[in-house]
Amino acid sequence: MRKRVLALFSMLLVFAIFAAGCGNGNETGSKANADGGDKNTEETAKGSITAVGSSALQPLVDEAANQYMSTNQGATINVQGGGSGTGLSQISEGAVDIGNSDIFAEEKDGIDGSKLVDHKVAVVGMGPVVNKDAGVEDITKKQLIDIFTGKIKNWKDVGGKDEKIVIINRAEGSGTRAVFEKHALDGATPAKAQEQDSSGTVQKIVSETPGAISYLAFSYFNDSITPLKVDGVAPTEANVETNDWKIWAYEHMYTNGEPKGLTKEFLDFILSDDIQSSLITKLGYIPVTGMKVERDADGNVKNK
Amino acid sequence: MKGESILELKDIKMTEKQWNSSTKIWTEKRGRILTFTSVSIMIMIAISILYFVASKGFSTFTVNKASIVDFFTGIEWKPGSLNELGKPIVGALPLIFGSFAVTLLAAIICSPLAVGAAIFMTEISPKFGKKVLQPVIELLVGIPSVVYGFVGLSVVVPFLREHLGGSGFGIAAGTIVLTVMILPTITSLSMDAIESVPMQIREASLALGATRWQTIYRVILKTSLPGLLTAIVFGMARAFGEALAVQMVIGNSTVIPTSFVEPASTLTSILTMGMGYTVMGKAENNALWSLALMLLLMSLVFIIIIRILGRRRVY
């Protein structure tokens, strides 16, 4: 009897703690953050922050957070995925400390970007990829648009094998898809086709499905798929840096207001030469410092 | 002997008196408070979830002014954009169609298999069934749905592509994965239903000269029918709500497919796909909540069906 009561009580207790944790987690986080900012200006900041959003950026933030935490005892950085939309909405509601996004806040409907501060930490190049069987390596931009809008339905029309084209889209609202539609398809709406949730799945499907075409970030390119050249330009880091390859995006880490305390320390850490030159290239991103051009939210490009 | 038992009775009375003093009342109260707290927490959770999903789900129609008729009959799912009347385009028919198609097909394929297996394990070979088959079936329950999805993606989809043509993604692949997923649910519930048929009924049937097969077919299946139907509905409820595994193999194209190997979509697959990409409070997000509400109402329907079937269970 006593044991059972004890068990019941402990269950209730666990539940209560869990509920309290859910409710106040963000508050304590930001409070700790504020404390860190006030007290430890000369030392490393302590406390806990949360970064949420873009799954394309997640591997980088995860790895950087691990490195940061191993050298700075007492600092906790929680990194979660959830997509660019989640990152932007959570940061504009002030629910998290950092919101990760592949797209500019101005590009997303329903986000008030006025209070958000943009930190561009990396650049990610993206490109169309096809199954190896398609027999195509180079197409024109017009052909690419025609394929994705459903006007061209067979690979033989663009110089490949006689094989039906299978389009694989990313989910509507995905950061990668938004970038691809804007810069590769010139804003054209792709035909209804199957949609997949994650880059990993897309990579697997394209490598296994004859005639498949999709688009991926450079970091997901490998030997099992064929990246396409567009108008003769190869999807390489060097071409992105000069904007010869136009399908790329900044990886943004948004903060609500100017960053303070641990948030600021961590952002500085990611932007440090150390991380920019080693970790970012290692994980397949392009350092923002190496870019020879700059692009704004409206897509205007100018030389740095 | 007699004296002893009277003595014992007295002893019990004594202890009961002591109990009555204060401990018993306290124990009673304590038990009451504990159970009442648990129940009220559960009720609160249920009500708040219902309220939350309903208020969010209805706001597609109240705040964003989408038409309910379009929701059930429209075939264009583009909650992010507006139609010529300035209303969000929320034609969920392809998703509803997909959900029902995979659920019904999976139930149709799975039910005979599961009931057959249950009969084998309870009536024909109870020893082998209990020792070998039941643990195997129970093992299937424990496999996470992402594993089913991954196996579907790596094995079922390429297999269908090679043998049926098309891209392999579609209702056929979804049905196969779901069939395997709900097989253990229906089998173990069917086993319970068949096992609960009283032994006397079997004995009576055999005593009348019926063969074993006649007993199984005419007597046991008939008496356990409500239980078997409950099992199947439980399986369907699981299939209808399954998200991850289906999302991986169905292709997620919001069209009504013309063949089994053409990409389609279900309510759950579009819901999980869109979750990370929408902003709270916008039309796109509200539309996803409407899908969630639809799923919630469907599970309510399944529960009602199970209740009605359960009431019929008499021998």
Side-chain angles (χ1 to χ4, degrees):
Chain A
M1 179 64 200
R2 182 140 297 174
K3 261 189 191 165
R4 237 181 252 175
V5 171
L6 216 73
L8 247 172
F9 260 125
S10 49
M11 261 173 69
L12 275 177
L13 200 74
V14 167
F15 181 79
I17 290 169
F18 179 69
C22 282
N24 302 331
N26 300 322
E27 233 170 83
T28 34
S30 46
K31 207 191 270 172
N33 184 15
D35 286 353
D38 291 343
K39 283 177 198 160
N40 304 318
T41 34
E42 74 278 45
E43 275 179 43
T44 51
K46 287 185 167 58
S48 124
I49 57 170
T50 306
V52 169
S54 161
S55 49
L57 183 54
Q58 196 182 353
L60 170 63
V61 183
D62 243 335
E63 194 50 44
N66 283 339
Q67 288 194 7
Y68 185 83
M69 283 188 282
S70 66
T71 50
N72 295 276
Q73 299 296 323
T76 312
I77 298 158
N78 304 304
V79 185
Q80 292 163 24
S84 301
T86 306
L88 286 172
S89 66
Q90 295 283 304
I91 191 64
S92 59
E93 283 166 15
V96 294
D97 304 283
I98 298 171
N100 300 331
S101 170
D102 305 343
I103 54 174
F104 282 94
E106 291 87 343
E107 289 179 84
K108 187 85 189 167
D109 269 357
I111 294 292
D112 178 18
S114 59
K115 266 192 268 164
L116 298 183
V117 182
D118 186 6
H119 307 270
K120 301 186 184 85
V121 294
V123 168
V124 60
M126 298 161 193
V129 291
V130 295
N131 183 271
K132 287 196 145 172
D133 277 0
V136 178
E137 282 181 358
D138 189 349
I139 58 174
T140 66
K141 191 165 190 174
K142 173 132 194 346
Q143 285 172 333
L144 187 68
I145 297 173
D146 284 349
I147 286 174
F148 272 93
T149 50
K151 273 182 207 139
I152 298 177
K153 288 183 166 35
N154 197 308
W155 283 115
K156 70 170 190 255
D157 296 339
V158 289
K161 273 212 283 187
D162 182 8
E163 196 164 64
K164 213 179 149 225
I165 295 175
V166 178
I167 303 170
I168 294 152
N169 267 329
R170 291 293 303 278
E172 196 152 339
S174 135
T176 308
R177 177 166 170 172
V179 171
F180 188 78
E181 279 179 16
K182 188 169 179 182
H183 299 290
L185 305 184
D186 289 341
T189 319
K192 274 239 173 92
Q194 69 161 299
E195 294 181 5
Q196 290 299 335
D197 194 18
S198 74
S199 300
T201 316
V202 168
Q203 185 196 52
K204 184 173 160 57
I205 293 173
V206 172
S207 69
E208 289 173 0
T209 311
I213 182 167
S214 189
Y215 37 88
L216 285 169
F218 288 0
S219 48
Y220 285 94
F221 285 5
N222 65 11
D223 294 340
S224 65
I225 49 182
T226 307
L228 286 185
K229 288 181 189 169
V230 177
D231 291 332
V233 182
T236 61
E237 193 180 314
N239 285 336
V240 168
E241 283 176 356
T242 53
N243 200 39
D244 286 332
W245 180 264
K246 298 200 171 50
I247 316 165
W248 56 271
Y250 289 112
E251 291 294 347
H252 308 266
M253 291 175 79
Y254 279 100
T255 54
N256 203 331
E258 283 299 327
K260 284 185 296 215
L262 181 55
T263 312
K264 181 171 167 29
E265 296 263 340
F266 182 55
L267 287 171
D268 288 346
F269 177 71
I270 288 191
L271 288 167
S272 68
D273 285 343
D274 197 21
I275 290 290
Q276 289 284 324
S277 60
S278 65
L279 187 62
I280 285 192
T281 44
K282 201 180 102 197
L283 293 176
Y285 302 87
I286 300 164
V288 78
T289 42
M291 293 297 288
K292 296 181 178 63
V293 293
E294 237 175 305
R295 187 156 75 187
D296 64 14
D298 299 321
N300 303 317
V301 177
K302 62 171 190 262
N303 287 324
K304 245 185 189 173
Chain B
M1 278 299 272
K2 226 181 178 183
E4 264 179 36
S5 64
I6 290 169
L7 211 86
E8 265 180 26
L9 253 170
K10 255 187 189 168
D11 274 1
I12 292 169
K13 270 188 183 161
M14 280 289 284
T15 42
E16 235 174 280
K17 239 183 198 172
Q18 284 168 351
W19 265 90
N20 269 334
S21 54
S22 69
T23 338
K24 192 180 175 186
I25 295 169
W26 170 230
T27 317
E28 284 291 311
K29 265 196 182 164
R30 196 164 53 175
R32 233 170 208 255
I33 293 169
L34 275 173
T35 45
F36 185 75
T37 331
S38 326
V39 166
S40 32
I41 288 174
M42 277 181 58
I43 291 177
M44 261 162 50
I45 293 173
I47 289 180
S48 42
I49 288 177
L50 273 174
Y51 172 77
F52 189 71
V53 175
S55 63
K56 282 274 177 190
F58 279 124
S59 59
T60 311
F61 310 111
T62 53
V63 179
N64 305 109
K65 306 277 183 231
S67 123
I68 292 191
V69 180
D70 275 359
F71 184 78
F72 287 105
T73 58
I75 52 165
E76 189 85 359
W77 178 258
K78 261 191 176 168
S81 17
L82 304 174
N83 63 9
E84 64 275 13
L85 296 170
K87 294 169 178 174
I89 305 167
V90 288
L93 187 62
L95 326 181
I96 297 170
F97 173 84
S99 273
F100 276 98
V102 290
T103 305
L104 290 175
L105 285 174
I108 289 169
I109 297 173
C110 189
S111 303
L113 292 175
V115 173
I119 291 172
F120 181 82
M121 287 192 286
T122 51
E123 300 295 321
I124 297 180
S125 179
K127 231 183 190 173
F128 177 73
K130 280 261 149 49
K131 268 201 179 144
V132 182
L133 288 179
Q134 203 172 5
V136 170
I137 298 247
E138 277 162 5
L139 194 76
L140 288 178
V141 183
I143 298 175
S145 59
V146 63
V147 175
Y148 281 108
F150 201 58
V151 170
L153 187 61
S154 315
V155 180
V156 178
V157 171
F159 179 83
L160 289 175
R161 184 169 54 232
E162 269 162 43
H163 293 90
L164 289 180
S167 66
F169 291 91
I171 287 181
T175 304
I176 290 169
V177 168
L178 280 181
T179 303
V180 180
M181 284 186 80
I182 63 176
L183 191 66
T185 314
I186 303 187
T187 309
S188 47
L189 287 172
S190 303
M191 269 178 71
D192 291 345
I194 294 171
E195 270 176 348
S196 70
V197 174
M199 212 23 129
Q200 295 96 303
I201 293 185
R202 287 188 188 84
E203 281 162 359
S205 164
L206 292 169
L208 284 171
T211 63
R212 184 154 75 157
W213 180 246
Q214 282 171 327
T215 307
I216 291 170
Y217 189 68
R218 299 258 171 98
V219 179
I220 294 173
L221 278 189
K222 276 229 168 99
T223 32
S224 60
L225 187 65
L228 296 179
L229 289 176
T230 311
I232 292 167
V233 177
F234 256 113
M236 284 172 71
R238 181 159 188 220
F240 202 84
E242 172 51 40
L244 197 55
V246 175
Q247 190 212 315
M248 288 170 84
V249 298
I250 202 163
N252 311 309
S253 178
T254 54
V255 291
I256 295 181
T258 50
S259 85
F260 288 130
V261 283
E262 199 181 292
S265 57
T266 63
L267 293 166
T268 47
S269 78
I270 295 302
L271 184 57
T272 48
M273 283 235 310
M275 256 182 332
Y277 303 120
T278 54
V279 181
M280 234 7 188
K282 299 296 289 183
E284 295 147 282
N285 192 266
N286 288 340
L288 294 181
W289 283 107
S290 303
L291 297 184
L293 181 63
M294 172 91 197
L295 286 166
L296 194 74
L297 293 178
M298 271 313 293
S299 78
L300 190 72
V301 169
F302 282 124
I303 289 168
I304 291 171
I305 294 174
I306 289 167
R307 287 269 156 165
I308 293 171
L309 288 173
R311 227 178 277 156
R312 275 178 48 198
R313 208 184 304 200
V314 277
Y315 300 116

